[in-house]
């Protein structure tokens, strides 16, 4: 590319209306893409993201977009997908920040770079939504006739897609002198307030057809009035009009005449608010024209007594009768003059088939041959020459009766021309339809219930597991693949769409050849053809992963992740659901599992989790199928028991309590506190029932708390001794040595007793340390030493749960502190260390040295005493060391 070409190219990118961003792919050492650097953006992209160019260029996606709204980052996943697959990806994306729809194209123009184009398709999406509303209402109109004009839904739809404040339908009376408002759509308060101002309700009010209005109604649709007085002047007083305009903030008035062949049937009046202007007036005009045409034809056909030779065909413009063998024209209707330009008499007497385009003669002959055997022909298109020498494309729906062909047709020239204009895009669209995840298809159903798939893309085979040739032979094979549980729903939805001509949407499972099931999402728009035929144009896609994700999200939204029972969110909603007379008496039992914190501190959170899981299993085994177990807090559960009496609730609580005590975790029996309350009728709010059950649980918990905690400490010590048998003798020896040193220091009997109790409990925290570490014979690693050094804190956490052990817990916490401040866990020194802790430190160290450990050989008493003396003023209180040698050492057995 030359410098000039490059400059022009850059200018094009900067000024193009579509957003443009090019990323440089950032690879790791293995050549895998890990991030994307903003290489180039244009002004339109800055506007979309509402940020300046400097904020992006050179930055990585993971940094630049992390503070943006989530919807502005959703499309990044497609960038990564395009890099991985190497293929172009096109998809729609909704920006919540801009409230706009964009069609994004992601592709790579050169190695190591990936480009994304943002094309604003908001008007297209909005127009489609409006058309969807029109189609739904117009089909209902055609099926019900003129009476739908007074249906409120008709006006509501018009008001919805025009943005009007109110829409009124006025019809001229048979006398032609008056007209009345037969329906009105708008805010209820607007209508009600009009009663106070006008003195009458607008609906049903008869108005005179005054000369000024007759003059106004001669204008072409739509007739626009800047102010309401232009429309109703002289019908109401100026003061009243002024009040109406001011109070209701009335603005522009848009009026559409409803007339046919010069006959005025009424009007549709659209009232805007303030300075607002109406949207989609072109659609309103098209809509009224379509409805009126169908209504007039319906009225005309209903009024004729003779049988229609075109019964069963859609209402179209062109009619034709010809002989099957000679192909002579017997009848053409007047609209043929408009389409081809020849006078009707001339058309009926000329070689009508001779007007067929030379290139279409062969296929027209084949169509006649098909009629001779099939007797019907649908959606056949060929071209006919006009009086000007041009050609018009005609679509035929034909039926053979006897030796005659009865046909209706419509001019589809514009449609065919559009198809020809799009022919250049066929290759791209075909490739796209084959490459996009999912498949596009056409599905046709006939009045007799038979059906076919006229078209489907390659992805259809992958999604349904059926081959194209099999579907062409027997289309029902597709439906045989649908999961039996979903089959009735799918067929019913197709029937509804066929009957009402509404959009078909369904999610269902299909069986694949290997036996597994795939979730499919299908959506299609129906098109009514002739003689009761309906053709759907749609898309199906694999949503298996989405369904799994949705089910996981739904499960996690209402289930506790650890125990699998219902969670607090579910409980809050269920509480209202069950608050119905059908469930009375409704019992709530609040269950608080005791000792969770103690278990976590003593044995770790994994054991605490096992405690909760075992408690949950007990609860689930004992409740009925209609009951609910919910975990609403860390250690708190609630049982929701419909149709359960107070006596039954107490029996269940007692039975659960016994079953809890029968189970244990790491030697600790499981226990829980229970509180139950019953709602017998609607007199007590359900939340008060829950509060009562919770209060009773707390009362139960407090009454047993103290004895249970003491018992738990004893059980933990027993577990420790079973786990490490040498610890029991070690604790007793440390207690004896500590007691002697405490006595030597002048402690009272009570103080010595407390000191010895602390010495017995000083290593209770080792219950949470793995035996693999405690019994290791080789040197400990840094990680293992950190685990060992954690036991004073664990001991403190366990003992501090019992108020009477508060002082002991402080002593135990500091028994590995050093006089020089190099100990643990706090690193305190000298007299900041409790005296009892300093005493236990000497006794504990001495006993460990003379008895040894798996990782350290035992010393002689003389060697141990030498260490004690050497550590005076370092590890130990020097004064205590002197007392120890003076008063305690002489009592030791050598």
């Amino acid at each position: 590319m030359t410098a000039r070409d490059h400059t022009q190219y850059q200018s094009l990118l900067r000024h193009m209306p579509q957003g443009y961003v090019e990323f440089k792919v950032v690879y790791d050492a293995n050549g895998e893409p890990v991030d994307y650097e903003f290489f180039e953006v244009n002004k339109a992209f800055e506007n979309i993201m509402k940020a300046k160019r400097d904020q992006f260029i050179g930055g990585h996606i993971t940094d630049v977009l992390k503070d943006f709204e989530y919807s502005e980052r959703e499309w990044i996943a497609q960038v990564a997908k395009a890099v991985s697959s190497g293929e172009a990806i096109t998809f729609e994306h909704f920006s919540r920040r801009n409230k706009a729809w964009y069609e994004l194209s992601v592709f790579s123009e050169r190695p190591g770079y990936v480009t994304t184009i943002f094309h604003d398709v908001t008007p297209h999406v909005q127009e489609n939504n409006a058309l969807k509303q029109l189609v739904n209402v117009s089909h209902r109109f055609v099926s019900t006739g003129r009476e739908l004009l007074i249906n409120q839904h008709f006006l509501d739809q018009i008001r919805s897609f025009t943005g009007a404040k109110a829409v009124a339908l006025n019809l001229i009376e048979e006398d032609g002198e008056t007209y009345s408002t037969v329906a009105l759509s708008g805010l209820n308060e607007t209508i009600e307030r009009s009663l106070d101002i006008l003195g009458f309700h607008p609906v049903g009010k008869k108005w005179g057809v005054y000369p000024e209005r007759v003059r106004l109604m001669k204008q072409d649709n739509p007739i626009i009035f800047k102010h309401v007085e232009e429309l109703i002047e002289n019908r109401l007083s100026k003061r009243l009009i002024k009040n109406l305009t001011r109070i209701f903030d009335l603005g522009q008035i848009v009026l559409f005449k409803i007339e046919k062949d010069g006959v005025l049937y009424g009007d549709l009046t659209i009232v805007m608010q303030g300075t607002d202007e109406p949207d989609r007036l072109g659609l309103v005009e098209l809509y009224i024209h379509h409805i009126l045409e169908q209504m007039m034809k319906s009225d005309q056909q209903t009024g004729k007594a003779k049988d229609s030779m075109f019964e069963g065909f859609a209402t179209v413009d062109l009619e034709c009768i010809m002989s099957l063998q000679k192909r002579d024209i017997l009848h053409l209707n007047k609209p043929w003059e408009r389409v081809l330009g020849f006078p009707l008499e001339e058309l009926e007497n000329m070689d009508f088939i001779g007007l067929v385009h030379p290139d279409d003669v062969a296929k027209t002959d084949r169509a006649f041959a098909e009629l001779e055997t099939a007797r019907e022909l649908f959606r056949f298109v060929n071209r006919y020459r006009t009086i000007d020498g041009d050609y018009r494309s005609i679509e035929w729906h034909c039926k053979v009766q006897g030796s005659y062909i009865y046909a209706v047709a419509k001019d589809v020239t514009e449609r065919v021309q559009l198809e020809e204009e799009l022919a250049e895009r066929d290759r791209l669209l075909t490739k796209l339809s084959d490459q996009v995840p999912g498949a596009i298809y056409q599905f046709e159903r006939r009045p007799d219930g038979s059906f076919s798939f006229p078209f489907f893309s390659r992805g259809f085979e992958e999604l349904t597991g059926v081959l194209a040739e099999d579907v062409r032979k027997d289309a029902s094979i597709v439906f045989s693949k649908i999961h039996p549980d979903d089959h009735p729903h799918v067929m019913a939805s197709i029937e509804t769409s066929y009957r009402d001509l509404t959009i078909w949407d369904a999610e269902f499972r299909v069986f694949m050849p290997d036996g597994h099931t795939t979730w499919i999402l299908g959506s299609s728009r129906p098109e009514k053809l002739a003689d009761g035929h309906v053709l759907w144009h749609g898309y199906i896609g694999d949503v298996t992963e989405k369904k799994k994700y949705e089910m996981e999200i739904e499960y996690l939204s209402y289930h506790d992740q650890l125990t699998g029972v219902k969670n607090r969110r579910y409980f809050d909603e269920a509480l209202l659901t069950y608050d119905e007379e059908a469930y009375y008496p409704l019992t709530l039992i609040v269950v608080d599992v005791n000792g969770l914190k103690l278990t976590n501190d003593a044995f770790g959170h994994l054991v605490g989790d096992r405690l909760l899981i075992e408690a949950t299993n007990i609860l689930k085994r004992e409740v009925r199928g209609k009951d609910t177990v919910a975990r609403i807090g860390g250690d708190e559960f609630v049982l929701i028991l419909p149709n359960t009496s107070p006596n039954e609730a107490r029996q269940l609580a007692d039975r659960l309590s016994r079953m809890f005590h029968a189970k244990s975790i790491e030697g600790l029996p499981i226990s829980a506190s229970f509180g139950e309350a019953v709602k017998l009728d609607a007199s007590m709010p359900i939340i008060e029932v829950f509060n009562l059950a919770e209060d009773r649980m707390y009362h139960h918990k407090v009454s047993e708390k103290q004895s249970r905690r003491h018992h738990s400490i004893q059980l933990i010590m027993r577990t420790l001794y079973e786990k490490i048998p040498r610890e029991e003798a070690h604790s007793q020896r440390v207690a004896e040595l500590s007691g002697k040193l405490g006595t030597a220091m002048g402690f009272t009997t009570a103080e010595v007793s407390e000191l010895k109790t602390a010495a017995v409990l000083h290593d209770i925290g080792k219950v949470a340390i793995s035996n693999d570490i405690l019994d290791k014979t080789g040197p400990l690693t840094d990680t293992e030493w950190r685990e060992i050094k954690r036991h004073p804190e664990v001991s403190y956490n366990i003992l501090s749960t019992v108020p009477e052990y508060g002082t002991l817990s402080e002593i135990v916490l500091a028994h590995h502190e050093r006089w020089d401040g190099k100990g643990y866990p706090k690193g305190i020194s000298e007299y900041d260390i409790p005296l009892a802790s300093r005493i236990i430190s000497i006794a504990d160290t001495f006993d460990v040295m003379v008895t040894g450990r798996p990782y350290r050989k035992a010393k002689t008493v003389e060697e141990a005493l030498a260490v004690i003396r050497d550590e005076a003023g370092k590890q130990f209180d020097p004064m205590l060391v002197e007392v120890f040698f003076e008063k305690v050492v002489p009592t030791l057995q050598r």
Side-chain angles (χ1 to χ4, degrees):
M1 182 183 294
T2 65
R4 179 180 179 182
D5 290 340
H6 182 74
T7 301
Q8 291 177 336
Y9 176 69
Q10 292 297 319
S11 177
L12 173 64
L13 293 183
R14 284 195 303 272
H15 296 96
M16 64 188 293
Q18 292 82 13
Y20 173 93
V21 56
E22 185 177 30
F23 299 102
K24 181 179 180 181
V25 183
V26 180
Y27 297 93
D28 63 12
N30 297 321
E32 294 295 326
V34 294
D35 209 336
Y36 305 90
E37 177 184 334
F38 283 87
F39 184 78
E40 184 60 79
V41 301
N42 69 351
K43 187 67 176 178
F45 179 79
E46 293 178 75
N47 294 337
I48 291 171
M49 302 303 291
K50 297 182 179 178
K52 293 298 183 181
R53 170 189 174 85
D54 293 341
Q55 188 173 339
F56 298 102
I57 299 301
H60 289 186
I61 283 179
T62 51
D63 294 326
V64 175
L65 296 186
K66 65 182 180 182
D67 296 327
F68 278 67
E69 183 179 344
Y70 181 70
S71 71
E72 305 307 332
R73 295 181 272 121
E74 292 176 325
W75 52 270
I76 294 302
Q78 301 296 336
V79 173
K81 189 174 181 181
V83 171
S84 299
S85 65
E87 297 178 357
I89 296 175
T90 302
F91 62 97
E92 284 190 348
H93 162 73
F94 179 71
S95 168
R96 285 183 284 275
R97 171 183 291 206
N98 297 323
K99 295 181 174 56
W101 281 94
Y102 296 96
E103 182 184 74
L104 270 67
S105 299
V106 185
F107 56 90
S108 178
E109 295 181 302
R110 49 181 174 154
Y113 293 81
V114 61
T115 298
T116 302
I117 301 292
F118 291 71
H119 179 60
D120 190 343
V121 294
T122 305
H124 172 73
V125 173
Q126 292 175 339
E127 197 76 356
N128 281 348
N129 290 338
L131 285 171
K132 186 185 300 183
Q133 293 176 335
L134 289 178
V135 169
N136 288 339
V137 178
S138 62
H139 280 305
R140 289 164 56 187
F141 177 83
V142 173
S143 64
T144 57
R146 183 172 180 169
E147 291 182 355
L148 187 65
L149 283 174
I150 61 174
N151 190 316
Q152 187 69 36
H153 189 55
F154 171 83
L155 297 186
D156 290 343
Q157 291 289 340
I158 297 294
R159 185 167 59 88
S160 174
F161 61 73
T162 59
K165 184 179 183 69
V167 179
L169 178 65
N170 306 300
L171 294 182
I172 295 179
E173 301 294 331
E174 292 182 359
D175 58 12
E177 300 296 324
T178 58
Y179 68 97
S180 60
T181 302
V182 297
L184 177 65
S185 174
L187 300 176
N188 291 334
E189 58 267 30
T190 300
I191 298 174
E192 296 303 324
R193 291 177 66 190
S194 70
L195 294 174
D196 299 331
I197 299 173
L198 297 174
F200 57 83
H201 199 292
V203 176
K205 172 68 176 178
K206 286 185 169 45
W207 311 83
V209 182
Y210 53 95
E212 180 64 15
R213 183 179 178 87
V214 173
R215 184 187 64 79
L216 291 173
M217 297 297 277
K218 290 182 180 180
Q219 301 179 47
D220 294 333
N221 279 334
I223 307 171
I224 299 178
F225 305 91
K226 292 183 179 180
H227 306 287
V228 66
E229 53 263 39
E230 295 179 29
L231 179 63
I232 59 175
E233 189 176 6
N234 300 326
R235 300 295 96 188
L236 299 173
S237 68
K238 290 185 177 180
R239 181 183 59 80
L240 195 56
I241 294 174
K242 184 176 181 181
N243 286 338
L244 283 171
T245 303
R246 177 180 56 82
I247 294 174
F248 297 134
D249 191 23
L250 301 182
Q252 188 181 88
I253 311 294
V254 182
L255 185 145
F256 283 89
K257 296 181 293 181
I258 304 175
E259 63 178 350
K260 177 68 175 177
D261 297 330
V263 179
L264 183 65
Y265 293 90
D267 66 77
L268 187 72
T269 302
I270 299 172
V271 183
M272 302 306 297
Q273 180 168 338
T275 59
D276 293 348
E277 293 188 0
D279 296 324
R280 305 184 182 93
L281 291 182
L283 290 179
V284 178
E285 187 168 9
L286 174 64
Y287 185 40
I288 292 176
H289 175 77
H290 171 68
I291 292 296
L292 195 59
E293 285 287 315
Q294 300 303 311
M295 183 185 72
M296 293 300 105
K297 291 180 180 181
S298 175
D299 288 347
Q300 292 168 6
Q301 291 174 358
T302 303
K304 294 180 180 179
K306 71 178 186 68
D307 294 333
S308 171
M309 64 185 68
F310 306 104
E311 183 179 358
F313 285 106
T315 305
V316 290
D317 289 334
L318 308 175
E319 300 174 355
C320 177
I321 305 173
M322 69 175 65
S323 65
L324 178 60
Q325 298 301 325
K326 296 183 179 181
R327 305 180 187 177
D328 294 334
I329 294 296
L330 304 177
H331 166 74
L332 295 172
N333 65 342
K334 194 72 172 175
W336 280 104
E337 291 186 344
R338 172 178 52 83
V339 174
L340 299 182
F342 296 102
L344 188 60
E345 295 79 6
E346 186 176 343
L347 280 171
E348 290 181 335
N349 291 288
M350 68 167 51
D351 179 11
F352 186 74
I353 302 302
L355 297 175
V356 173
H357 192 287
D359 293 342
D360 294 344
V361 171
K363 75 172 183 177
T364 303
D365 289 339
R366 290 195 297 272
F368 278 111
E370 182 180 344
L371 273 172
E372 292 182 4
T373 56
R375 315 300 286 177
E376 286 184 302
L377 186 66
F378 295 94
R379 304 178 68 235
F380 171 73
V381 178
N382 58 1
R383 290 166 290 176
Y384 283 79
R385 179 169 51 83
T386 69
I387 193 171
D388 298 324
D390 296 328
Y391 283 88
R392 306 293 295 180
S393 296
I394 307 299
E395 182 179 76
W396 296 90
H397 298 168
C398 309
K399 179 185 293 185
V400 175
Q401 290 188 0
S403 58
Y404 297 99
I405 300 173
Y406 297 90
V408 290
K410 56 184 176 181
D411 184 355
V412 294
T413 303
E414 283 72 23
R415 189 189 78 189
V416 171
Q417 288 175 346
L418 179 61
E419 291 170 353
E420 291 174 350
E421 291 172 2
L422 296 175
E424 292 299 319
R425 299 184 62 186
D426 281 352
R427 182 190 60 82
L428 176 61
L429 291 175
T430 300
K431 181 180 179 181
L432 179 63
S433 67
D434 288 340
Q435 295 298 325
V436 295
I440 57 176
Y441 68 93
Q442 288 180 318
F443 172 67
E444 184 174 14
R445 173 176 162 167
R446 306 176 186 89
D448 61 2
S450 61
F451 47 81
S452 64
F453 289 87
F455 170 80
F456 52 82
S457 62
R458 188 172 63 187
F460 195 88
E461 295 183 0
E462 299 173 3
L463 289 174
T464 62
V466 296
L467 300 178
E469 53 267 27
D470 294 333
V471 177
R472 293 188 183 97
K473 294 176 184 176
D474 180 10
S476 65
I477 191 175
V478 174
F479 296 98
S480 69
K481 298 291 183 179
I482 298 176
H483 193 288
D485 293 344
D486 300 334
H487 190 274
H489 158 68
V490 174
M491 302 312 292
S493 64
I494 293 175
E495 183 63 32
T496 300
S497 180
Y498 175 80
R499 182 183 64 248
D500 300 335
L501 292 177
T502 53
I503 301 297
W504 175 75
D505 287 300
E507 277 188 348
F508 53 92
R509 289 160 291 177
V510 297
F511 286 109
M512 303 304 290
D514 62 2
H516 82 276
T517 57
T518 298
W519 275 97
I520 298 294
L521 170 64
S523 180
S524 59
R525 182 188 300 275
E527 176 188 1
K528 188 171 184 178
L529 307 179
D531 205 17
H533 289 241
V534 173
L535 179 70
W536 285 266
H537 311 269
Y539 167 85
I540 58 173
D542 184 345
V543 292
T544 304
E545 291 303 316
K546 181 179 80 74
K547 289 295 291 186
K548 288 180 181 178
Y549 179 74
E550 288 177 352
M551 289 187 285
E552 288 174 3
I553 292 298
E554 182 179 6
Y555 181 86
L556 292 175
S557 297
Y558 291 104
H559 287 78
D560 176 54
Q561 191 168 0
L562 173 65
T563 62
V565 297
K566 298 297 192 295
N567 60 11
R568 181 62 188 246
R569 177 183 177 185
Y570 177 89
F571 170 73
D572 291 339
E573 296 179 10
L575 210 57
L576 301 177
T577 301
Y578 281 105
D579 192 12
E580 298 287 344
E581 186 175 353
Y583 299 112
Y584 299 156
L586 176 65
T587 293
L588 301 180
I589 299 181
V590 178
V591 184
D592 188 275
V593 179
N594 297 319
L596 177 61
K597 183 179 186 303
L598 182 61
T599 303
N600 286 334
D601 292 337
F603 303 102
H605 285 275
L606 292 179
V607 178
D609 290 346
R610 284 172 50 202
L611 170 64
L612 290 173
I613 292 171
E614 185 59 41
T616 303
N617 291 336
I618 294 172
L619 296 175
K620 289 194 296 185
R621 283 196 299 267
E622 291 303 306
V623 299
R624 303 162 299 184
K626 65 180 180 179
D627 301 331
T628 299
V629 180
R631 183 186 177 197
I632 63 171
D635 52 7
E636 192 170 352
F637 295 79
V638 177
L639 307 183
I640 305 176
L641 311 169
N643 311 120
T644 302
S645 67
N647 186 48
E648 290 172 323
R650 284 190 294 272
Q651 290 177 359
L652 175 59
D654 292 341
R655 186 166 71 252
L656 288 171
S657 181
R658 291 192 301 271
M659 297 194 71
F660 271 45
H661 279 287
K663 293 284 185 180
S664 62
I665 297 291
E666 296 292 333
L668 292 178
I670 303 175
S671 68
S673 301
F674 298 87
E676 63 272 356
V678 183
K679 180 168 185 177
L680 300 173
D681 51 42
S683 61
M684 179 184 289
I686 190 66
I687 192 62
E688 291 186 16
V689 178
F690 171 69
N691 292 337
L692 177 60
E694 196 168 41
D695 289 344
R696 289 173 175 172
M697 180 275 292
Y698 283 127
H699 178 74
H700 181 203
K701 190 177 186 72
V702 170
S703 65
E704 294 185 345
K705 180 184 296 184
Q706 214 47 40
S707 61
R708 185 178 63 251
R709 286 178 173 173
H710 278 286
H711 185 56
S712 296
I713 299 296
Q714 296 170 5
L715 288 173
I716 292 174
M717 289 302 297
R718 184 191 306 165
T719 302
L720 175 65
Y721 296 154
E722 291 174 354
K723 177 180 179 180
I724 318 171
R726 64 176 178 272
E727 281 297 324
E728 185 170 9
H730 169 68
S731 298
Q732 293 301 325
R733 291 192 298 269
V734 173
E736 287 300 318
L737 284 173
S738 298
K740 289 179 180 181
L741 187 52
T743 300
M745 290 295 296
F747 281 22
T748 65
T749 302
E751 290 172 335
V752 170
S753 176
E754 182 181 74
L755 174 62
K756 294 177 70 173
T757 301
V760 168
L761 298 173
H762 78 283
D763 275 342
I764 191 173
K766 287 185 178 180
V767 75
I769 300 176
S770 167
N771 275 46
D772 293 338
I773 297 177
L774 295 173
D775 295 334
K776 186 174 181 180
T777 56
L780 298 179
T781 66
D782 290 343
T783 301
E784 290 167 340
W785 267 117
R786 283 196 296 271
E787 188 68 13
I788 288 286
K789 289 180 178 180
R790 197 171 62 86
H791 80 274
E793 295 175 275
V794 177
S795 300
Y796 173 82
N797 290 334
I798 294 172
L799 296 175
S800 62
T801 61
V802 181
E804 288 81 352
Y805 287 174
T807 303
L808 300 182
S809 67
E810 297 288 347
I811 295 172
V812 169
L813 177 65
H815 81 274
H816 275 293
E817 300 288 358
R818 291 171 53 102
W819 182 259
D820 59 9
K822 297 180 180 179
Y824 60 88
K826 292 183 177 181
I828 56 179
S829 63
E830 298 186 357
Y831 298 108
D832 288 337
I833 306 171
L835 177 58
S837 302
R838 287 178 266 151
I839 291 173
I840 293 174
S841 175
I842 295 174
D844 179 39
T845 304
F846 177 78
D847 187 72
V848 168
M849 285 192 292
V850 298
T851 57
R853 285 293 181 265
Y855 56 87
R856 180 186 298 163
K857 184 179 178 181
K859 298 178 182 296
T860 65
V861 172
E862 285 71 18
E863 290 173 333
L865 290 174
V867 172
I868 296 294
R869 187 179 295 280
D870 187 57
E871 288 295 319
K874 300 175 186 176
Q875 180 176 351
F876 307 118
D877 180 344
M879 185 268 292
L880 285 178
V881 171
E882 289 182 12
V883 175
F884 177 73
F885 273 92
E886 181 182 347
K887 301 291 186 180
V888 178
V889 170
T891 68
L892 298 177
Q893 295 181 355
R894 303 284 176 145

